[in-house]
Each structure stands twice: as C-alpha cells, then as structure tokens.
Amino acid sequence: MDRRYSFFLVALALVFISMEASNVQGSNSKKAPYDAASTHYTVLAPTSTGQERVYCLARGACNGKVLTCPSQCAQRKPKKNKKVKGCFFDCSSKCEVTCKWRKPNCNGYGSLCYDPRFVGGDGAMFYFHGAKDGNFAIVSDENLQINAHFIGTRPQGRTRDYTWVQALAVMFDTHTLVLAAKRVSQWDNSFDALIVRWDGAVVNIPTDGEAEWRTNSEEREVIVERTEETNGVKVTVAGLVELNVKVRAIGEHENKVHNYQLPADDAFAHLETQFKFTGLTNLVEGVLGQTYRPDYVSPVKRGVAMPMMGGEDKYQTPSLYSPLCNHCRFKGKAGLSSI
C-alpha cells in the first residue's frame, strides 16, 4: 500500500474519533468541580473485535487520548462478572487500562468483611467487633465520614456478640449516601437485598444499559453502578472514595462451623466492602481510617489468629447518620437519612 495513502487513512481515523467524541462531549460539558479524573471519559464504539474504547476528557497528559480494553478483559461491565474480569479505564495522569475483578477483595487493603475483619491501610489484618445494634465511625476526616451499623447475635454461653456490618452511611459535603442489606429469612442471590438511599430517598439502580445511577451535585459527581445483576455495586464519590460492595448472608455450613446459633428466620445479610480513598488528611480517624495515618503504629497483637482492635469508646456514634464521636473530625453538614 502506498505510504501516503496509509498516512491518509490514519489521519482520517483520528478525525473520525475526534468527531465521535465531540458529539457526546457536549452532554458532559457540565461537570462537578470534583468530577473523577480517572472516569472522566466518553464511551466510543467498540473495535471490530468487541473491545470497548473511551475518549479521555480529563485535563492533563491523557486528555484527548483513546484508550482500548485489552482482549483479556474486553468489556467494562462483563455479564459473567464472577468469571470474567472487567476493563478499568484511568484517564488521570496514569492514563492506563487494567483488568480487575469487579468485587471486594476481602484480603486487600481497605477491606471490611466477615464478622468484621479489616485490612488496614498499613496492610495489617485485625478484627473489630463493636456491638450488636451499635454504630461506629469507620472513617472520620474533615471532608468524609463513613459510619457502619452493626447487627449481631450472642449465643448462650458467649461473653461477646458475633457482629456483622449491615449498613454504611457515607457522609460528605451536605449529602448522605446509604448502602444497606435488607433483612431476609432465607438467602436467595437472585433477590436483590441491597438498599441504596441518597439524602433519604430510595435510589433504583438500573439493571440494563450502563446499569448505573449518577448525580452531579454542585460539589462532586457520585456514581453507583451494578457489578452484578443483584447484590453488588461499585460506588464512586469523586475526589473522596470508591467502594466495592457486595451483600451476602451467613450460610448453613458457616453457621454450623462457627457455632453462631443464628435464628431460623434471619440469614443475617450483611455487607462485604473494600474502600479506596483519595486525599485523606494526615489526621484521619475511625476504626479503619486511623490505619491510613502516616504516623500510625498498629496496637494489635501480631501472630495471633484473631488480632483484636479496641476503640469502641473512641468511635461509637449515636446513630448511623451522626458524625459525632469522641475522636470524630468531620466538618461537613450531611443531612439525616433512614434505612
């Protein structure tokens, strides 16, 4: 093929991509001040092999570039989520594409799973049992407060509660986003047991199309997208935090092995969550938040099966929606909500 003709085809393709992006760029022109740079892009038509592409709109080195999913993870939101990794575009200064599982990694940094077991920002694993029907600040910083509501049971002969996190309240600016597990008597994964509320109003997350809900408030963009057809979402609060959340219940085998002695009419549906924070201050507090401080030294005993973290007195809040505790630092004005 003539070299000049090849150059002409390349130039024509670049013009087409630029026109395709500009057609939809107008609908995205009104962005919140804290719109997430990593996800500030426009979706283009996929390649002939089905690999999804985006046109990056974020400021910086990645602006105007087209990123394409690799063949190993050709889609951002694969239908077979449990078997296929999703394609993640990052239009920030990283300007990269990676393949990741779209679910919480309960052994990864910033995870909160099981009865409750944490992995801190320092990589150390610890347990924090809190109290049945108690509420505790998981993270408390100047611009972000995340509280958890604990459910639990105390079998006969036990000296403490078995507990799980049933709900999270993410408070920032003047808003409150609630993620909660519905109480169910028998677990059925085809039933969506996840509740999402935005400033007190129920949010219905679509199951088709982009399968996401988003809002562009004056302060920042918030996105809640399904990672599974039921019981799994990824939450992005631009400039503050990302959460991968999954609802699960205690199975019969697990109940028997741990001797939880759960009642027959309650499957104890709860949340498994992994957090990724942006811009925490050096004075951040909270059961998990404190582990991200640069001067943090873990007080838990290493080398034991269940290293325990105390601090109930420091981080207990009057309710799921209250930013008040003995060591809380939140300075926003998030409103109240309800499950």
Side-chain angles (χ1 to χ4, degrees):
M1 183 183 291
D2 183 82
R3 180 175 297 179
R4 287 176 297 177
Y5 184 63
S6 298
F7 285 157
F8 170 75
L9 290 179
V10 171
L12 185 63
L14 290 174
V15 169
F16 173 76
I17 289 173
S18 179
M19 291 175 63
E20 187 178 2
S22 63
N23 286 338
V24 287
Q25 194 167 358
S27 62
N28 292 315
S29 60
K30 185 179 180 181
K31 290 291 180 181
Y34 290 98
D35 186 36
S38 60
T39 58
H40 194 180
Y41 54 69
T42 292
V43 179
L44 303 177
T47 66
S48 59
T49 56
Q51 293 162 253
E52 294 188 1
R53 305 178 305 153
V54 300
Y55 181 88
C56 291
L57 302 173
R59 297 177 182 177
C62 210
N63 179 263
K65 292 190 176 181
V66 175
L67 302 182
T68 304
C69 293
S71 58
Q72 299 94 320
C73 57
Q75 296 178 312
R76 292 174 300 133
K77 302 176 182 181
K79 296 297 182 183
K80 297 180 180 179
N81 185 64
K82 294 182 179 178
K83 298 181 180 179
V84 181
K85 290 184 177 181
C87 172
F88 283 76
F89 296 106
D90 189 341
C91 285
S92 69
S93 57
K94 290 184 178 180
C95 205
E96 63 181 11
V97 184
T98 53
C99 296
K100 299 179 182 179
W101 294 111
R102 288 166 55 82
K103 58 185 179 181
N105 176 5
C106 288
N107 294 313
Y109 292 94
S111 59
L112 193 180
C113 302
Y114 314 131
D115 53 344
R117 192 192 77 168
F118 293 75
V119 178
D122 59 347
M125 181 270 287
F126 64 90
Y127 287 82
F128 175 85
H129 291 302
K132 174 185 175 181
D133 298 325
N135 302 283
F136 298 89
I138 302 303
V139 175
S140 185
D141 207 3
E142 291 182 0
N143 299 317
L144 177 67
Q145 175 96 9
I146 302 177
N147 289 351
H149 177 72
F150 286 52
I151 55 174
T153 183
R154 182 178 297 191
Q156 187 174 1
R158 293 283 300 179
T159 57
R160 68 163 182 84
D161 298 326
Y162 286 119
T163 54
W164 298 270
V165 170
Q166 180 264 339
L168 294 170
V170 183
M171 292 172 270
F172 54 93
D173 304 326
T174 59
H175 302 291
T176 300
L177 178 68
V178 174
L179 304 161
K182 297 177 183 177
R183 187 184 186 279
V184 293
S185 56
Q186 299 294 326
W187 181 251
D188 179 357
N189 198 50
S190 65
F191 171 74
D192 197 2
L194 179 66
I195 303 170
V196 180
R197 288 184 181 271
W198 171 251
D199 290 342
V202 174
V203 172
N204 293 312
I205 313 300
T207 55
D208 54 0
E210 288 294 296
E212 67 180 29
W213 170 89
R214 63 172 65 209
T215 181
N216 245 328
S217 66
E218 294 181 1
E219 298 88 0
R220 64 188 78 246
E221 186 175 47
V222 179
I223 306 171
V224 182
E225 59 177 294
R226 288 193 184 274
T227 53
E228 296 188 32
E229 289 187 8
T230 60
N231 300 311
V233 295
K234 178 185 177 182
V235 177
T236 303
V237 181
L240 289 176
V241 64
E242 291 182 4
L243 302 81
N244 276 297
V245 181
K246 181 177 177 60
V247 180
R248 66 178 297 266
I250 305 299
E252 185 177 344
H253 177 71
E254 187 178 356
N255 183 30
K256 185 178 296 185
V257 168
H258 293 281
N259 193 30
Y260 290 141
Q261 301 179 34
L262 300 184
D265 62 345
D266 193 344
F268 277 75
H270 60 279
L271 305 181
E272 290 185 346
T273 309
Q274 186 176 18
F275 301 90
K276 181 181 178 182
F277 301 103
T278 304
L280 292 176
T281 72
N282 291 342
L283 298 177
V284 59
E285 284 284 2
V287 178
L288 178 64
Q290 62 182 329
T291 67
Y292 285 83
R293 297 173 69 143
D295 60 348
Y296 177 75
V297 178
S298 177
V300 303
K301 190 174 182 180
R302 304 293 182 100
V304 298
M306 293 186 67
M308 300 298 298
M309 175 77 76
E312 285 85 350
D313 58 329
K314 294 191 297 183
Y315 300 125
Q316 187 161 18
T317 63
S319 74
L320 176 64
Y321 318 104
S322 173
L324 304 176
C325 72
N326 287 336
H327 283 231
C328 285
R329 304 188 65 250
F330 182 61
K331 296 181 179 179
K333 297 179 181 179
L336 299 180
S337 182
S338 62
I339 299 176

